Amino acid sequence: MLVGVDTTLAGAQAELVEQAKWREHPNRDTPEHVRDQAELWAGQARTELEWAKSLSKRLSEGAYTMADDPGSWRTVPDHLKMRA
């Protein structure tokens, strides 16, 4: 799970860097509505980055029980299998 979150963090950070470069030096031929769309994408990337950072912190602090943790629902015996 943390690997996926770390990938999301890296992707969001890279997207923000690219968006910042583009906004600093936009092509003069780029229509204004495209620039507005880029602002929307940057906002989405910032939001995703903040979410991923928060989730990563909660996961590293043990907020969720993982499948291989003692007491996980996956470690509970399947009573139906025991009957067979």
Side-chain angles (χ1 to χ4, degrees):
M1 182 83 172
L2 280 175
V3 172
V5 173
D6 290 341
T7 301
T8 300
L9 282 169
Q13 288 171 330
E15 178 67 22
L16 285 173
V17 168
E18 289 304 311
Q19 288 291 329
K21 288 179 189 176
W22 186 83
R23 285 192 317 276
E24 286 177 25
H25 307 287
N27 182 335
R28 296 181 75 116
D29 297 330
T30 303
E32 286 185 39
H33 72 278
V34 174
R35 293 181 203 160
D36 286 338
Q37 181 68 45
E39 288 296 326
L40 175 61
W41 291 334
Q44 290 169 331
R46 283 190 298 272
T47 299
E48 186 173 340
L49 181 60
E50 290 307 311
W51 171 84
K53 284 179 180 178
S54 175
L55 178 60
S56 180
K57 182 176 185 275
R58 289 192 316 270
L59 288 173
S60 67
E61 292 172 349
Y64 297 102
T65 302
M66 297 298 162
D68 58 348
D69 288 346
S72 166
W73 64 271
R74 290 184 186 253
T75 61
V76 175
D78 184 344
H79 297 289
L80 295 176
K81 287 182 183 176
M82 296 174 83
R83 290 185 195 167

